[in-house]
């Protein structure tokens, strides 16, 4: 048999091995680095900028760098492979039921077990223990995860026969004539994205009952010891989970649980009515918050949330509702309290760390808010992002009896931001885009992907950033959220979900041209290509049907608020 030479590299390690033509990349890696066999440390390979599954058979000489599970791409593959492992194990433990993925919150996945009547079945403790044990047994055996290609029509018929109507409806609007399925020990399913080559290493997870379902927590550290219960979820998860339940209940009432049903509504010309109903629902929720602020007599409203949550539009809409109660709101962006560029801290790579609370002039912010609450006049700063410094003499502010300050910024819930202010004057709101929509029964839409697409579209329009720049900054933004935003979401008096069920069809029209412009030789090309593939699932909509005060306008433009 003909032989080939393949070079494998991982950071400082590099080995060239000779193997038979058609050997899988996984086997080549084991031969190159035998000490890592069975560890599950490697998720995929890269040939240049192209991602290659470890299960791919190699037929030519070549050089591949390795992607580990601690890399964001590898971690996503690890989580996706864990979901397949859970579904395969559940086919044994819950043989008379079907499993569907409910939600994703950070590194946790939530599942529901449904009986033959489509009612939620709450798993017993012994069943959860059996599920975990079965998953661990499958992981220990190192069973291959096989990939096969079938026609789209065959996939539709297969999933319809299995009672997976969301998958069948999703493929109804798929342009590609063929789809890839993954098979594990007789269980076949469709997944959006690449997989591990086998179950080796898929043993770093936590599993427990949560609410009426199951929580699966993926652990990305190679040496992590998997706890028997999900102990890594913050207490605020309960409140976010409740918001997701609320959103999904609304989606079910509207007859839209997955992308296939959303595409169907677009084709039938019903989306305009859906937009009006959801916008009305969002307006009611904002009105209820304004009523509570008025009832409590709070003078300082603080709004925080991760990047591209829609904080600015929300604060403007909240201000409108506060006016209906006779209050006079003054929107304040915490971005105007950035330290001058020369005083901005830098991260470990020597780049300005704009996400850090150290980038904020908190001393000035607390002083100004204190003076305003005391009835004093303040010269409000305006940050010039071009020059990288604060400007003064632009606007002076003095509060009257019915005035209220509406402050938005990523650090607004951090106690350090209001350390000098009386707590009974503050009302804190956490806002995040928690999508209720899913691709199908087993593929959720990532909240992070939705926010990234929002940011790409907005920054191209308002800051002149191309998609490659927005993508290159995203990891730093996400790291900043983990340090500076998520730990303080529990400080909020209320949580607000800014996700819109129609937003991805709206963003598609703007995002696709920007993503196509990412150069093939850039580091951001893989992510741009992944997002383009993701957007293929959605039919685009006419943005003129979106109201001028919609939160979506913050990103696509054409809104009635000054952003």
């Amino acid at each position: 048999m003909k032989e080939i030479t393949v070079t494998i590299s991982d950071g400082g390690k590099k080995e060239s091995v000779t193997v038979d033509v058609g050997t899988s990349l996984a086997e080549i890696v084991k031969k190159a680095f035998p000490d890592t066999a069975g560890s599950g440390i490697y998720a995929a390979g890269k040939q240049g900028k192209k991602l290659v599954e470890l299960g791919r058979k190699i037929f030519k000489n070549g050089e591949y760098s390795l992607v580990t599970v601690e890399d964001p791409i590898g971690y996503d593959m690890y989580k996706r492979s864990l979901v397949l492992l859970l579904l395969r194990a559940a086919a044994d433990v819950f043989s008379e039921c079907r499993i569907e993925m409910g939600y994703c919150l950070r590194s946790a996945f939530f599942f529901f077990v449904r009986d033959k009547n489509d009612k939620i079945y709450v798993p017993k403790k012994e069943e959860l223990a059996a599920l975990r044990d079965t998953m661990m047994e499958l992981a220990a055996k190192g069973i291959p995860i096989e990939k096969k290609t079938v026609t789209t029509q065959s996939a539709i018929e297969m999933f319809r026969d299995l009672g997976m109507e969301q998958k069948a409806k999703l493929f109804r609007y798929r342009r590609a004539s063929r789809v890839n399925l993954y098979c594990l020990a007789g269980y076949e399913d469709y997944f959006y994205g690449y997989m591990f080559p086998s179950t080796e290493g898929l043993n770093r997870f936590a599993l427990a009952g949560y609410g009426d379902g199951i929580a699966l927590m993926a652990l990305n550290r190679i040496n992590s010891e998997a706890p028997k219960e999900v102990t890594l979820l913050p207490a605020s998860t309960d409140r976010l989970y409740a918001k997701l339940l609320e959103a999904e209940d609304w989606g079910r009432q509207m007859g839209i649980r997955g992308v296939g049903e959303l595409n169907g509504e677009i084709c039938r010309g019903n989306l305009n009515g859906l937009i009006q109903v959801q916008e009305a629902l969002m307006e009611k929720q904002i009105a209820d918050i304004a009523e509570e602020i008025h009832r409590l007599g709070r003078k300082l409203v603080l709004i925080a949330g991760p990047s591209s949550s829609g904080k600015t539009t929300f604060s403007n809409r909240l201000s409108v509702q506060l006016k209906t109660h006779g209050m006079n709101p003054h929107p304040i962006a915490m971005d105007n309290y950035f330290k001058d560029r020369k005083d901005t801290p830098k991260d470990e790579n020597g780049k300005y760390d704009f996400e850090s609370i150290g980038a904020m002039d908190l001393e000035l912010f607390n002083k100004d808010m204190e003076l305003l609450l005391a009835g004093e006049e303040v010269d409000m700063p305006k940050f010039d992002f071009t020059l990288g410094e604060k400007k003064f003499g632009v606007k002076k502010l003095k509060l009257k009896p019915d005035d209220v300050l509406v402050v938005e910024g990523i650090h607004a819930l951090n106690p350090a931001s209001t350390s000098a202010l009386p707590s009974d004057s503050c009302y804190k709101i956490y806002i995040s885009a928690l999508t209720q929509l899913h691709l199908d029964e087993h593929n959720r839409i990532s909240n992070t992907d939705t926010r990234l697409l929002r940011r790409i579209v907005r920054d191209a329009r308002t800051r002149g950033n191309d998609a490659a720049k927005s993508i290159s900054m995203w990891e730093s933004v996400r790291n900043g959220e983990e340090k500076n935003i998520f730990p303080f979401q529990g400080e909020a008096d209320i949580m607000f979900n800014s996700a819109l069920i129609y937003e991805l069809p709206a963003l598609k029209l703007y995002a696709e041209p920007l993503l196509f412009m990412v150069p093939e030789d850039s580091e951001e090309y893989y992510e741009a290509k992944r997002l383009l593939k993701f957007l293929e699932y959605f039919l685009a909509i006419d943005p003129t049907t979106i109201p001028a005060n919609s939160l979506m306008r913050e990103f696509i433009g054409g809104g009635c608020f000054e952003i």
Side-chain angles (χ1 to χ4, degrees), residues 511-561:
E512 281 187 333
L514 297 170
L515 293 167
F516 275 120
M517 290 297 291
V518 175
E520 290 188 26
D521 61 350
S522 72
E523 291 293 331
E524 295 74 35
Y525 178 70
Y526 167 77
E527 183 69 354
K529 186 177 178 182
R530 184 187 71 81
L531 291 170
L532 282 168
K533 183 180 178 183
F534 170 61
L535 288 171
E536 287 179 2
Y537 292 105
F538 299 86
L539 298 179
I541 63 170
D542 179 2
T544 61
T545 60
I546 300 173
N549 72 335
S550 173
L551 186 140
M552 197 79 263
R553 291 292 178 185
E554 180 171 331
F555 306 100
I556 66 174
C560 60
F561 300 118

Coordinates of all heavy atoms in Angstrom, one line a residue, residues 511-561:
A511 N -25.5 41.0 7.5 CA -24.3 40.3 7.9 C -23.6 39.5 6.8 O -22.4 39.5 6.7 CB -24.7 39.3 9.0
E512 N -24.4 38.9 5.9 CA -23.7 38.1 4.9 C -22.7 38.8 4.0 O -21.6 38.3 3.8 CB -24.8 37.4 4.0 CG -25.5 36.2 4.7 CD -26.4 35.5 3.7 OE1 -27.0 36.1 2.8 OE2 -26.6 34.2 4.0
P513 N -23.0 40.0 3.4 CA -22.0 40.7 2.6 C -20.7 41.0 3.4 O -19.6 40.9 2.9 CB -22.7 41.9 2.2 CG -24.2 41.6 2.3 CD -24.3 40.7 3.4
L514 N -20.9 41.3 4.7 CA -19.8 41.7 5.5 C -18.9 40.4 5.8 O -17.7 40.5 5.7 CB -20.2 42.2 6.9 CG -21.0 43.5 6.8 CD1 -21.6 43.9 8.2 CD2 -20.1 44.7 6.4
L515 N -19.5 39.3 6.0 CA -18.8 38.0 6.3 C -18.1 37.5 5.0 O -17.0 37.0 5.1 CB -19.7 37.0 6.8 CG -20.3 37.3 8.2 CD1 -21.5 36.3 8.5 CD2 -19.2 37.1 9.3
F516 N -18.7 37.7 3.9 CA -18.1 37.3 2.6 C -16.8 38.1 2.3 O -16.0 37.6 1.6 CB -19.1 37.4 1.4 CG -20.0 36.2 1.3 CD1 -21.4 36.4 1.3 CD2 -19.5 35.0 1.0 CE1 -22.2 35.3 1.2 CE2 -20.3 33.9 0.9 CZ -21.7 34.0 0.9
M517 N -16.7 39.2 2.9 CA -15.5 40.1 2.6 C -14.3 39.7 3.5 O -13.2 40.3 3.3 CB -15.9 41.6 2.9 CG -16.9 42.1 1.9 SD -16.1 42.2 0.2 CE -14.9 43.4 0.4
V518 N -14.5 38.8 4.4 CA -13.3 38.4 5.3 C -12.4 37.6 4.4 O -12.7 36.6 3.8 CB -13.8 37.5 6.4 CG1 -12.6 37.0 7.2 CG2 -14.7 38.3 7.4
P519 N -11.1 38.0 4.3 CA -10.1 37.3 3.4 C -9.9 35.9 3.8 O -9.9 35.6 5.0 CB -8.8 38.2 3.6 CG -9.3 39.5 4.1 CD -10.5 39.2 5.0
E520 N -9.7 35.0 2.8 CA -9.4 33.6 3.1 C -8.1 33.3 3.9 O -8.0 32.3 4.5 CB -9.4 32.8 1.8 CG -10.7 32.7 1.1 CD -10.7 31.8 -0.1 OE1 -9.9 30.9 -0.1 OE2 -11.5 32.0 -1.0
D521 N -7.2 34.3 3.8 CA -5.9 34.0 4.5 C -5.9 34.7 5.8 O -4.8 34.7 6.5 CB -4.7 34.6 3.6 CG -4.8 36.1 3.3 OD1 -5.9 36.7 3.7 OD2 -3.9 36.7 2.8
S522 N -7.0 35.2 6.3 CA -7.0 35.8 7.6 C -7.4 34.8 8.7 O -7.9 33.8 8.5 CB -8.1 37.0 7.7 OG -9.4 36.4 7.7
E523 N -7.0 35.2 10.0 CA -7.2 34.3 11.1 C -8.8 34.2 11.4 O -9.2 33.2 12.0 CB -6.6 34.9 12.4 CG -5.0 34.8 12.3 CD -4.5 33.3 12.4 OE1 -5.2 32.5 13.0 OE2 -3.5 33.1 11.8
E524 N -9.5 35.2 10.9 CA -10.9 35.2 11.2 C -11.8 34.5 10.1 O -13.0 34.4 10.2 CB -11.4 36.7 11.3 CG -10.8 37.5 12.4 CD -9.4 37.8 12.2 OE1 -9.0 38.1 11.0 OE2 -8.6 37.8 13.2
Y525 N -11.1 33.9 9.1 CA -11.8 33.3 8.0 C -12.7 32.1 8.4 O -13.9 32.0 8.0 CB -10.9 32.9 6.9 CG -11.6 32.2 5.7 CD1 -12.4 32.9 4.8 CD2 -11.4 30.8 5.5 CE1 -13.0 32.3 3.8 CE2 -12.1 30.2 4.5 CZ -12.9 31.0 3.6 OH -13.5 30.3 2.5
Y526 N -12.2 31.3 9.3 CA -12.9 30.1 9.7 C -14.2 30.5 10.4 O -15.3 30.0 10.1 CB -12.1 29.2 10.7 CG -13.0 28.2 11.4 CD1 -13.5 27.1 10.7 CD2 -13.5 28.4 12.7 CE1 -14.3 26.2 11.4 CE2 -14.3 27.5 13.3 CZ -14.7 26.4 12.6 OH -15.6 25.5 13.3
E527 N -14.1 31.5 11.3 CA -15.3 32.0 12.0 C -16.3 32.6 11.1 O -17.5 32.4 11.2 CB -14.9 32.9 13.1 CG -16.0 33.4 14.0 CD -16.6 32.3 14.9 OE1 -16.2 31.1 14.8 OE2 -17.5 32.7 15.8
A528 N -15.8 33.4 10.1 CA -16.7 34.0 9.2 C -17.5 33.0 8.3 O -18.7 33.0 8.1 CB -15.9 34.9 8.2
K529 N -16.7 31.9 7.9 CA -17.3 30.9 7.1 C -18.4 30.1 8.0 O -19.4 29.7 7.5 CB -16.2 29.9 6.7 CG -16.7 28.8 5.7 CD -15.5 28.0 5.2 CE -16.0 26.8 4.3 NZ -14.9 26.0 3.9
R530 N -18.1 29.9 9.3 CA -19.0 29.2 10.1 C -20.3 30.0 10.3 O -21.4 29.4 10.2 CB -18.4 29.0 11.5 CG -19.2 28.1 12.5 CD -18.6 28.1 13.9 NE -18.6 29.4 14.5 CZ -19.7 29.8 15.2 NH1 -20.8 29.2 15.2 NH2 -19.7 31.0 15.8
L531 N -20.2 31.3 10.5 CA -21.4 32.1 10.6 C -22.2 32.2 9.3 O -23.4 32.2 9.3 CB -21.0 33.5 11.1 CG -20.4 33.6 12.5 CD1 -19.8 35.0 12.7 CD2 -21.5 33.3 13.5
L532 N -21.5 32.2 8.2 CA -22.2 32.2 6.9 C -23.0 30.9 6.7 O -24.1 30.9 6.3 CB -21.2 32.3 5.7 CG -20.7 33.7 5.5 CD1 -19.5 33.7 4.5 CD2 -21.8 34.6 4.9
K533 N -22.4 29.8 7.1 CA -23.1 28.5 7.1 C -24.3 28.5 8.0 O -25.4 28.0 7.6 CB -22.1 27.3 7.4 CG -22.8 26.0 7.3 CD -21.8 24.9 7.7 CE -22.5 23.5 7.6 NZ -21.6 22.4 8.0
F534 N -24.1 29.1 9.2 CA -25.2 29.2 10.1 C -26.4 30.0 9.5 O -27.6 29.6 9.7 CB -24.7 29.8 11.4 CG -25.8 30.2 12.4 CD1 -26.6 29.2 12.9 CD2 -25.9 31.5 12.8 CE1 -27.6 29.6 13.9 CE2 -26.9 31.9 13.7 CZ -27.7 30.9 14.2
L535 N -26.1 31.1 8.9 CA -27.1 32.0 8.3 C -27.9 31.3 7.2 O -29.0 31.8 6.8 CB -26.5 33.3 7.9 CG -26.1 34.2 9.0 CD1 -25.3 35.4 8.5 CD2 -27.3 34.7 9.8
E536 N -27.3 30.3 6.6 CA -28.0 29.6 5.5 C -29.3 28.9 5.9 O -30.2 28.7 5.1 CB -27.1 28.5 4.9 CG -25.9 29.0 4.1 CD -25.0 27.9 3.5 OE1 -25.4 26.7 3.8 OE2 -24.0 28.2 2.9
Y537 N -29.4 28.7 7.2 CA -30.7 28.1 7.7 C -31.9 29.0 7.7 O -33.0 28.6 7.8 CB -30.5 27.6 9.1 CG -29.5 26.4 9.3 CD1 -28.2 26.6 9.8 CD2 -29.9 25.1 8.9 CE1 -27.3 25.6 9.9 CE2 -29.0 24.1 9.0 CZ -27.7 24.3 9.5 OH -26.8 23.2 9.7
F538 N -31.6 30.3 7.6 CA -32.6 31.3 7.7 C -33.0 31.9 6.4 O -32.1 32.2 5.5 CB -32.2 32.4 8.7 CG -31.9 31.9 10.0 CD1 -30.6 31.5 10.4 CD2 -32.9 32.0 11.0 CE1 -30.3 31.0 11.6 CE2 -32.6 31.5 12.3 CZ -31.3 31.0 12.6
L539 N -34.3 32.2 6.2 CA -34.7 33.0 5.1 C -34.7 34.5 5.5 O -35.0 34.8 6.6 CB -36.2 32.7 4.7 CG -36.4 31.2 4.2 CD1 -37.9 31.1 3.8 CD2 -35.5 30.9 3.0
A540 N -34.2 35.4 4.6 CA -34.1 36.8 5.0 C -35.5 37.5 4.9 O -36.4 37.0 4.2 CB -33.1 37.5 4.0
I541 N -35.6 38.6 5.6 CA -36.9 39.3 5.6 C -36.6 40.8 5.2 O -35.5 41.3 5.3 CB -37.6 39.3 7.0 CG1 -36.7 40.0 8.1 CG2 -37.9 37.9 7.4 CD1 -37.4 40.2 9.4
D542 N -37.7 41.4 4.8 CA -37.6 42.8 4.4 C -37.5 43.7 5.7 O -38.5 43.7 6.5 CB -38.9 43.2 3.6 CG -38.9 44.7 3.2 OD1 -37.9 45.4 3.5 OD2 -39.9 45.1 2.6
P543 N -36.4 44.4 5.9 CA -36.3 45.2 7.2 C -37.2 46.4 7.3 O -37.4 46.9 8.4 CB -34.8 45.6 7.1 CG -34.5 45.7 5.7 CD -35.3 44.6 5.1
T544 N -37.9 46.8 6.3 CA -38.8 47.9 6.4 C -40.0 47.6 7.2 O -40.7 48.5 7.7 CB -39.3 48.4 5.0 OG1 -40.0 47.3 4.3 CG2 -38.1 48.8 4.1
T545 N -40.3 46.3 7.5 CA -41.4 46.0 8.4 C -41.1 46.1 9.8 O -42.0 46.0 10.7 CB -41.8 44.5 8.1 OG1 -40.8 43.6 8.3 CG2 -42.3 44.4 6.6
I546 N -39.8 46.4 10.2 CA -39.4 46.5 11.6 C -39.6 47.9 12.1 O -39.2 48.8 11.5 CB -37.9 46.1 11.7 CG1 -37.7 44.7 11.2 CG2 -37.5 46.2 13.2 CD1 -36.2 44.3 11.2
P547 N -40.4 48.0 13.2 CA -40.7 49.4 13.7 C -39.4 50.2 14.0 O -38.4 49.7 14.3 CB -41.5 49.1 15.0 CG -42.0 47.7 14.8 CD -41.0 47.0 14.0
A548 N -39.6 51.5 13.9 CA -38.4 52.4 14.1 C -37.9 52.4 15.6 O -36.7 52.7 15.8 CB -38.8 53.9 13.8
N549 N -38.8 52.0 16.5 CA -38.3 52.0 17.9 C -37.9 50.6 18.4 O -37.6 50.4 19.5 CB -39.4 52.5 18.9 CG -40.6 51.5 19.0 OD1 -40.8 50.7 18.1 ND2 -41.3 51.6 20.1
S550 N -37.8 49.6 17.4 CA -37.4 48.3 17.7 C -36.0 48.2 18.2 O -35.1 49.0 17.7 CB -37.6 47.4 16.5 OG -37.0 46.1 16.8
L551 N -35.7 47.3 19.1 CA -34.4 47.1 19.6 C -33.4 46.7 18.4 O -32.3 47.0 18.4 CB -34.4 46.1 20.7 CG -33.1 45.8 21.4 CD1 -33.4 45.6 22.9 CD2 -32.4 44.5 20.9
M552 N -34.0 46.1 17.4 CA -33.3 45.6 16.3 C -32.6 46.8 15.5 O -31.6 46.6 14.9 CB -34.2 44.8 15.3 CG -33.5 44.0 14.3 SD -32.9 42.4 15.1 CE -31.2 42.8 15.5
R553 N -33.3 48.0 15.6 CA -32.8 49.1 14.9 C -31.4 49.6 15.4 O -30.7 50.3 14.7 CB -33.8 50.3 14.9 CG -35.1 50.0 14.1 CD -34.8 50.0 12.7 NE -35.9 49.7 11.9 CZ -35.9 49.5 10.5 NH1 -34.7 49.7 9.9 NH2 -37.0 49.2 9.9
E554 N -31.1 49.3 16.7 CA -29.8 49.6 17.2 C -28.7 49.0 16.4 O -27.6 49.6 16.3 CB -29.7 49.2 18.7 CG -28.4 49.5 19.4 CD -28.4 49.3 20.8 OE1 -29.5 49.3 21.5 OE2 -27.3 49.0 21.4
F555 N -29.0 47.9 15.7 CA -27.9 47.2 15.0 C -28.0 47.4 13.5 O -27.0 47.6 12.9 CB -28.0 45.7 15.4 CG -28.0 45.5 16.8 CD1 -29.1 45.3 17.6 CD2 -26.8 45.6 17.5 CE1 -29.1 45.1 18.9 CE2 -26.7 45.4 18.9 CZ -27.9 45.2 19.6
I556 N -29.2 47.4 12.9 CA -29.3 47.5 11.5 C -29.5 49.0 11.0 O -29.4 49.3 9.9 CB -30.5 46.6 10.9 CG1 -31.9 47.1 11.4 CG2 -30.3 45.2 11.3 CD1 -33.0 46.4 10.8
G557 N -29.8 49.9 12.0 CA -30.0 51.3 11.6 C -31.4 51.6 11.3 O -32.3 50.7 11.3
G558 N -31.7 52.9 11.1 CA -33.0 53.3 10.7 C -34.0 53.5 11.9 O -35.2 53.6 11.7
G559 N -33.4 53.6 13.1 CA -34.2 53.8 14.3 C -34.6 55.2 14.6 O -34.0 56.1 14.0
C560 N -35.5 55.4 15.5 CA -35.9 56.7 15.9 C -35.1 57.3 17.1 O -35.3 58.4 17.5 CB -37.4 56.7 16.3 SG -37.8 55.6 17.6
F561 N -34.2 56.5 17.7 CA -33.4 56.9 18.8 C -32.0 57.3 18.3 O -31.5 56.7 17.4 CB -33.3 55.9 19.9 CG -34.6 55.5 20.5 CD1 -35.1 54.2 20.4 CD2 -35.4 56.4 21.2 CE1 -36.3 53.8 20.9 CE2 -36.7 56.1 21.7 CZ -37.1 54.8 21.6

